[in-house]
Amino acid sequence: MEVFPLLLVLSVWWSRTWDLANADSIIHIGAIFDESAKKDDEVFRTAVGDLNQNEEILQTEKITFSVTFVDGSNPFQAVQEACELMNQGILALVSSIGCTSAGSLQSLADAMHIPHLFIQRSTAGTPRSGCGLTRSNRNDDYTLSVRPPVYLNDVILRVVTEYAWQKFIIFYDSEYDIRGIQEFLDKVSQQGMDVALQKVENNINKMITTLFDTLRIEELNRYRDTLRRAILVMNPATAKSFITEVVETNLVAFDCHWIIINEEINDVDVQELVRRSIGRLTIIRQTFPVPQNISQRCFRGNHRISSTLCDPKDPFAQNMEISNLYIYDTVLLLANAFHKKLEDRKWHSMASLSCIRKNSKPWQGGRSMLETIKKGGVSGLTGELEFGENGGNPNVHFEILGTNYGEELGRGVRKLGCWNPVTGLNGSLTDKKLENNMRGVVLRVVTVLEEPFVMVSENVLGKPKKYQGFSIDVLDALSNYLGFNYEIYVAPDHKYGSPQEDGTWNGLVGELVFKRADIGISALTITPDRENVVDFTTRYMDYSVGVLLRRAEKTVDMFACLAPFDLSLWACIAGTVLLVGLLVYLLNWLNPPRLQMGSMTSTTLYNSMWFVYGSFVQQGGEVPYTTLATRMMMGAWWLFALIVISSYTANLAAFLTITRIETSIQSLQDLSKQTDIPYGTVLDSAVYEHVRMKGMNPFERDSMYSQMWRMIHRSNGSENNVLESQAGIQKVKYGNYAFVWDAAVLEYVAINDPDCSFYTIGNTVADRGYGIALQHGSPYRDVFSQRILELQQNGDMDILKHKWWPKNGQCDLYSSVDTKQKGGALDIKSFAGVFCILAAGIVLSCFIAMLETWWNKRKGSRVPSKEASSLQNETTTSERRNAWPLTPCLKLGTSTWRSQASSHGLHQSSQLGGPLDDP
């Protein structure tokens, strides 16, 4: 750390020792250089040495000098060293420092009348900013600006206008004073341009890493878009490092266009910048005229320049800074001024000046020397060096170099134009984007089979496969509009792509990363990880996560006619029929009704039950009961039967026409809360990573994803996940399983299933989209994105969607049961139970009839005389009854009726179906 100060002290000591040895010379100049300007000192000494060897200019006189180094940011030190130089007696002061100390030296030179030739120097090759030295037309302005004014604002504005940029970002290094381009920023703001500023730190790698850590993926994508048009205002070394970092981190694409502006860019820097960059590069630098005749490159008039400075092949000359060139020309200009003073015999002797004393007087010959210098001119390494009325050098030329858009590093550079303050821009600058005409371009397309995005439509042996699908339709629409052709093939591992342990990618994305394909298309979603390694067009379809489930199967219920009432209600109704029948019998037994003559109804328990059942099913029947209690009982029963039958009829109609089977899973929340149906997705897919990131995010408010992740990640994902989407669909169809996958794919499967055995649920919020993947930096991205937006705007994209996802499909996507699209007739399944009951009644009645027949035959064969006697007695009794008068019969007492009933028998008269007779 102590080497540089030691060398500095030794250099000053050697300089002053050499000055004392040549104290007899009448030409003595002083020089103040910045501590970092070691090459300025070398060129200064070389220039003095070349001129001292040229006897045609100074004849026998020699130039002596004193050199001192100062801290450019310390004006007090600069003034102090300048005073010491003036004490030694100097004819002129040459300084190569920054703007901080320039103003102080200007004030000192004006006060002491010492011509001050100021060469503005920027730190470490950073572009210059205007110093803002106070200029006046008075005679006391002794500072001359050797370097021309800063024209960066004018040059940048003209170039940006020619390129028709409307949005760009300006990068500047930490040493640059951003106020230097304030004029440019004001003008572009007035023209409505969108300009962003960003300072480039010394640790560029840390700066880029911080960007990736702090910016979200959406912000990072917008930042990448901003970097497509950028202006770099920085020293060449920083520009090289910055370009290298952004290229290696994939922040820029091959369609980017950057402008680098700096006066301090040599040929070596140009080649290195072009080699490290991608896309298009425009370089603006200051240039100087070079003699066409090679033999005359080192000659300027009667002066020969050292070959180390004028030979372009010399390493020292290749790495010279602009300030070095102006240092040499300044010494040459002073030598010519001294020569003119010697010829005119108007030489003023040097006087030792003291700028510390209050009564110190300025140099009397200062004005004459200043006028001689201002009126003189010289042709040197920087071209014509002369001064205007304001003390500035108006001669400056800028060269505009550039490359074309390309995908190869190290492209050739050519001259695009030049600029100077007098004539302006000489040349044509155009920033042509990739045109829509891609005729003759053949793109290699990689895909993954996924219904309905990409499917094989024709597979003939010996011929290339033909594909169809929604993504293929989008690709064909782009091909027809842009004019390119394509060759398509399926990814070898049939995967979309995911990062591997060694950092590489497999699947479709891996084909693009390794540049085996130009574009990739399928049901490919835009994810942050994929965006880091490939480029995506704008989304051509929204993406959301869905779930595929199997519909609930309708079981055949043969006794659907009993469904309107619960089993307990049916039991209550049956019990009520029995109870009411028993009550009717008891009421009539306790208070027997008076039967009319000819009535065939008896008050048996069997008849009472049968009458109550008949009235319940609304089949009517004779009402023989005339007692008030019985009538009240039957009235209440009929009202009860009316309400029950009406309710049953209404509910039966609803049950037979509306399917009321429902499932408990109707959303992702319902799926996550249950564990009866296992669910999963394709292992290591975008859906798998999406659920993982959401489920493992501690700041996620909704616990749905954490619950889903526990199910999907069970047994490290091997239990419930599948390797391909088709395997998941088959698992749903033939098992108890729910498949989590792209909603668009699942909807297509559900619509086109021949059995309509699927239904889907999903999230209606589209947080991502499907896009076309391209190689990182591909020039086709913007062209494809623009055409996709046009397809969406004019409705063509909706037409393509309806082709594969029709609104009126044969299956209902969202119903968990198989429902009919329109009303239809009831089928036999709905009335199977009714027919079964009827069949059971018929079979039972036939069985009873057979049993009765058998019983009657068996009974008749055993007692034939008694039965015949009974029939004869009944016939006699009937004839006798018809002969009796009615009135005596009605006056029979209760005892007589009971005795008759007991003598004839209740069961026997009931069987015969006639009235009870007297004995």
Side-chain angles (χ1 to χ4, degrees):
M1 297 298 294
E2 303 295 334
V3 175
F4 179 75
L6 179 60
L7 292 176
L8 182 61
V9 172
L10 292 175
S11 176
V12 173
W13 173 83
W14 180 86
S15 173
R16 291 179 178 176
T17 303
W18 190 88
D19 296 341
L20 293 175
N22 297 276
D24 55 343
S25 176
I26 63 172
I27 303 176
H28 189 70
I29 57 177
I32 297 179
F33 298 138
D34 191 274
E35 292 176 343
S36 60
K38 298 299 294 181
K39 191 169 291 187
D40 283 347
D41 178 52
E42 295 180 22
V43 174
F44 180 79
R45 297 177 185 276
T46 302
V48 173
D50 290 345
L51 290 169
N52 285 338
Q53 295 177 3
N54 190 348
E55 298 180 353
E56 295 184 9
I57 297 179
L58 298 179
Q59 299 175 2
T60 60
E61 297 294 333
K62 302 295 181 182
I63 299 177
T64 60
F65 60 89
S66 297
V67 178
T68 184
F69 294 91
V70 299
D71 181 3
S73 60
N74 190 346
F76 177 78
Q77 182 187 7
V79 171
Q80 187 178 14
E81 294 294 337
C83 287
E84 293 184 6
L85 292 176
M86 292 178 184
N87 288 337
Q88 297 176 18
I90 57 176
L91 299 177
L93 176 65
V94 179
S95 67
S96 175
I97 55 177
C99 295
T100 304
S101 302
S104 300
L105 293 181
Q106 179 188 20
S107 300
L108 178 62
D110 292 344
M112 305 307 296
H113 291 189
I114 298 296
H116 174 211
L117 284 83
F118 168 59
I119 303 169
Q120 183 183 354
R121 178 178 179 81
S122 57
T123 305
T126 301
R128 295 186 301 151
S129 298
C131 279
L133 297 179
T134 303
R135 293 291 181 183
S136 64
N137 294 327
R138 298 178 300 173
N139 295 328
D140 56 354
D141 193 352
Y142 281 81
T143 297
L144 302 176
S145 296
V146 177
R147 293 191 67 171
V150 180
Y151 288 103
L152 296 185
N153 290 282
D154 303 278
V155 180
I156 297 177
L157 181 61
R158 183 59 190 275
V159 172
V160 170
T161 304
E162 288 293 319
Y163 283 146
W165 285 10
Q166 293 298 321
K167 181 179 180 180
F168 53 90
I169 184 172
I170 299 178
F171 292 100
Y172 61 97
D173 58 25
S174 57
E175 301 295 335
Y176 181 70
D177 187 358
I178 192 61
R179 292 174 297 181
I181 57 172
Q182 186 62 48
E183 180 183 352
F184 167 74
L185 296 176
D186 294 339
K187 290 183 179 180
V188 296
S189 177
Q190 295 173 1
Q191 297 179 13
M193 298 182 186
D194 186 3
V195 183
L197 295 173
Q198 183 171 354
K199 182 179 179 180
V200 178
E201 303 295 340
N202 293 329
N203 193 340
I204 300 176
N205 182 270
K206 181 179 179 181
M207 168 187 159
I208 300 298
T209 304
T210 305
L211 286 176
F212 280 96
D213 294 340
T214 57
L215 295 182
R216 296 177 299 178
I217 185 63
E218 298 84 1
E219 297 173 337
L220 196 60
N221 290 335
R222 289 195 295 268
Y223 185 71
R224 281 195 178 100
D225 291 335
T226 304
L227 292 183
R228 295 183 183 277
R229 298 294 179 266
I231 299 176
L232 274 59
V233 185
M234 57 185 67
N235 66 73
T238 304
K240 296 173 190 176
S241 302
F242 182 69
I243 291 176
T244 301
E245 287 292 336
V246 296
V247 169
E248 291 180 352
T249 54
N250 294 324
L251 280 176
V252 291
F254 287 111
D255 60 343
C256 70
H257 185 182
W258 283 16
I259 299 175
I260 303 177
I261 183 167
N262 193 336
E263 299 164 323
E264 302 279 355
I265 298 180
N266 55 39
D267 293 339
V268 178
D269 294 331
V270 170
Q271 296 300 326
E272 188 67 17
L273 289 170
V274 173
R275 186 186 67 82
R276 299 190 182 196
S277 65
I278 60 176
R280 184 176 182 183
L281 188 65
T282 299
I283 301 175
I284 304 174
R285 66 174 181 174
Q286 187 176 352
T287 185
F288 306 101
V290 178
Q292 298 296 329
N293 190 351
I294 300 178
S295 60
Q296 297 296 322
R297 286 184 176 177
C298 294
F299 289 91
R300 297 296 185 271
N302 58 352
H303 176 66
R304 187 182 188 279
I305 303 175
S306 174
S307 60
T308 58
L309 304 180
C310 61
D311 186 3
K313 298 181 180 180
D314 191 280
F316 187 87
Q318 292 177 352
N319 295 313
M320 280 202 308
E321 301 174 0
I322 292 181
S323 60
N324 304 151
L325 304 179
Y326 280 109
I327 287 287
Y328 192 98
D329 289 353
T330 300
V331 176
L332 182 59
L333 176 66
L334 289 176
N336 280 273
F338 297 154
H339 173 73
K340 189 175 182 180
K341 293 290 289 182
L342 291 173
E343 283 186 342
D344 295 341
R345 299 178 181 270
K346 295 182 180 179
W347 190 264
H348 293 276
S349 61
M350 297 180 294
S352 178
L353 302 177
S354 176
C355 54
I356 299 178
R357 299 176 184 175
K358 294 183 179 179
N359 298 326
S360 60
K361 295 181 180 181
W363 181 36
Q364 298 297 325
R367 171 54 55 186
S368 176
M369 182 62 70
L370 178 65
E371 293 298 328
T372 303
I373 296 174
K374 290 180 64 176
K375 292 179 181 180
V378 68
S379 176
L381 295 175
T382 62
E384 295 294 331
L385 176 58
E386 56 186 1
F387 298 100
E389 293 295 331
N390 60 352
N393 180 11
N395 299 319
V396 61
H397 297 273
F398 285 92
E399 183 181 38
I400 303 175
L401 307 175
T403 64
N404 293 325
Y405 289 105
E407 300 184 8
E408 297 180 357
L409 298 176
R411 300 166 313 285
V413 61
R414 60 188 179 90
K415 185 176 180 179
L416 303 178
C418 57
W419 184 94
N420 63 73
V422 179
T423 62
L425 178 65
N426 182 14
S428 177
L429 303 179
T430 56
D431 189 11
K432 292 183 179 180
K433 297 182 180 179
L434 186 64
E435 297 180 353
N436 292 337
N437 186 5
M438 295 176 60
R439 304 290 178 185
V441 177
V442 179
L443 300 178
R444 187 163 173 79
V445 181
V446 60
T447 187
V448 174
L449 297 180
E450 187 76 77
E451 296 181 350
F453 291 88
V454 179
M455 300 175 289
V456 177
S457 62
E458 183 178 336
N459 188 8
V460 180
L461 185 62
K463 294 183 179 180
K465 293 181 180 180
K466 294 184 178 180
Y467 298 88
Q468 65 177 1
F470 175 64
S471 296
I472 299 299
D473 291 344
V474 174
L475 184 61
D476 289 338
L478 296 175
S479 175
N480 295 333
Y481 179 78
L482 299 175
F484 65 87
N485 297 320
Y486 63 87
E487 299 174 352
I488 190 169
Y489 71 98
V490 179
D493 56 1
H494 303 278
K495 295 182 179 180
Y496 289 103
S498 59
Q500 305 302 298
E501 294 181 356
D502 58 354
T504 61
W505 282 72
N506 62 355
L508 181 150
V509 177
E511 295 295 303
L512 295 173
V513 172
F514 291 107
K515 301 187 183 302
R516 291 189 286 263
D518 297 307
I519 62 176
I521 191 168
S522 184
L524 186 65
T525 54
I526 304 173
T527 64
D529 291 337
R530 293 169 180 169
E531 190 84 33
N532 290 333
V533 294
V534 296
D535 281 348
F536 279 96
T537 63
T538 185
R539 63 175 65 181
Y540 61 86
M541 184 177 179
D542 292 332
Y543 164 86
S544 61
V545 177
V547 183
L548 184 70
L549 298 104
R550 188 176 59 184
R551 290 188 201 275
E553 297 180 356
K554 292 178 60 177
T555 58
V556 179
D557 188 3
M558 297 181 60
F559 297 97
C561 57
L562 302 179
F565 289 166
D566 187 67
L567 180 61
S568 60
L569 181 57
W570 282 117
C572 292
I573 293 175
T576 304
V577 171
L578 297 176
L579 179 61
V580 173
L582 180 62
L583 291 177
V584 169
Y585 170 74
L586 292 176
L587 289 176
N588 283 280
W589 183 77
L590 294 175
N591 189 13
R594 297 179 181 181
L595 303 178
Q596 298 179 356
M597 292 300 295
S599 175
M600 303 298 293
T601 305
S602 62
T603 57
T604 62
L605 179 60
Y606 172 79
N607 286 341
S608 298
M609 293 292 181
W610 184 254
F611 174 74
V612 171
Y613 173 74
S615 62
F616 178 76
V617 296
Q618 298 183 350
Q619 296 303 312
E622 185 179 358
V623 186
Y625 311 114
T626 58
T627 62
L628 180 61
T630 305
R631 291 180 182 274
M632 290 295 296
M633 172 66 69
M634 294 309 301
W637 171 249
W638 287 338
L639 179 61
F640 170 79
L642 176 64
I643 296 174
V644 172
I645 294 301
S646 300
S647 301
Y648 174 81
T649 304
N651 284 345
L652 180 62
F655 269 88
L656 293 178
T657 56
I658 300 177
T659 303
R660 300 173 64 177
I661 303 175
E662 296 181 356
T663 181
S664 59
I665 301 177
Q666 295 294 332
S667 64
L668 288 176
Q669 286 80 4
D670 296 338
L671 181 70
S672 64
K673 293 177 182 178
Q674 60 84 41
T675 56
D676 296 334
I677 302 178
Y679 51 89
T681 183
V682 176
L683 192 65
D684 295 331
S685 63
V687 177
Y688 184 87
E689 291 298 322
H690 176 71
V691 177
R692 183 185 65 83
M693 293 180 62
K694 290 279 190 178
M696 299 182 66
N697 185 5
F699 301 102
E700 183 70 29
R701 296 182 178 180
D702 193 355
S703 62
M704 176 188 70
Y705 285 102
S706 61
Q707 295 171 349
M708 291 181 64
W709 175 244
R710 283 194 293 269
M711 173 66 76
I712 291 177
H713 192 58
R714 185 176 296 176
S715 300
N716 291 327
S718 60
E719 180 177 344
N720 295 325
N721 296 303
V722 294
L723 298 179
E724 293 183 357
S725 59
Q726 288 298 324
I729 295 172
Q730 294 300 318
K731 196 173 181 180
V732 174
K733 190 168 187 177
Y734 299 108
N736 184 36
Y737 184 73
F739 184 48
V740 182
W741 195 235
D742 297 2
V745 176
L746 300 181
E747 288 177 0
Y748 176 82
V749 172
I751 290 175
N752 293 276
D753 183 61
D755 301 328
C756 292
S757 58
F758 299 119
Y759 78 99
T760 62
I761 60 175
N763 186 7
T764 57
V765 179
D767 54 349
R768 284 184 289 172
Y770 299 98
I772 300 177
L774 306 96
Q775 293 181 12
H776 192 79
S778 173
Y780 310 124
R781 191 190 77 161
D782 290 342
V783 179
F784 281 16
S785 297
Q786 181 180 359
R787 180 54 184 165
I788 289 174
L789 293 176
E790 293 175 358
L791 292 174
Q792 293 173 343
Q793 185 175 3
N794 57 29
D796 292 341
M797 193 68 72
D798 293 332
I799 296 176
L800 297 179
K801 290 179 183 178
H802 293 161
K803 175 183 176 181
W804 300 100
W805 291 275
K807 291 184 178 180
N808 299 322
Q810 62 178 357
C811 302
D812 188 358
L813 286 176
Y814 310 108
S815 176
S816 58
V817 295
D818 186 12
T819 57
K820 300 179 183 297
Q821 296 295 331
K822 55 183 179 180
L826 298 175
D827 54 12
I828 187 64
K829 296 179 182 179
S830 302
F831 282 90
V834 179
F835 285 99
C836 289
I837 293 175
L838 177 60
I842 294 175
V843 172
L844 183 61
S845 62
C846 292
F847 176 75
I848 294 175
M850 294 171 61
L851 186 63
E852 285 182 343
T853 303
W854 174 79
W855 176 259
N856 290 334
K857 287 183 179 182
R858 184 166 180 257
K859 185 178 180 182
S861 62
R862 289 182 179 181
V863 286
S865 59
K866 185 177 179 180
E867 189 178 61
S869 176
S870 176
L871 290 174
Q872 184 177 2
N873 291 335
E874 287 182 0
T875 304
T876 305
T877 303
S878 177
E879 292 176 352
R880 189 185 304 167
R881 182 181 297 169
N882 292 335
W884 285 352
L886 182 62
T887 303
C889 182
L890 295 176
K891 292 182 179 181
L892 290 175
T894 304
S895 60
T896 305
W897 181 84
R898 290 179 178 176
S899 64
Q900 292 176 350
S902 61
S903 63
H904 290 281
L906 180 61
H907 179 71
Q908 183 178 357
S909 62
S910 177
Q911 283 183 343
L912 297 176
L916 297 176
D917 298 333
D918 290 334

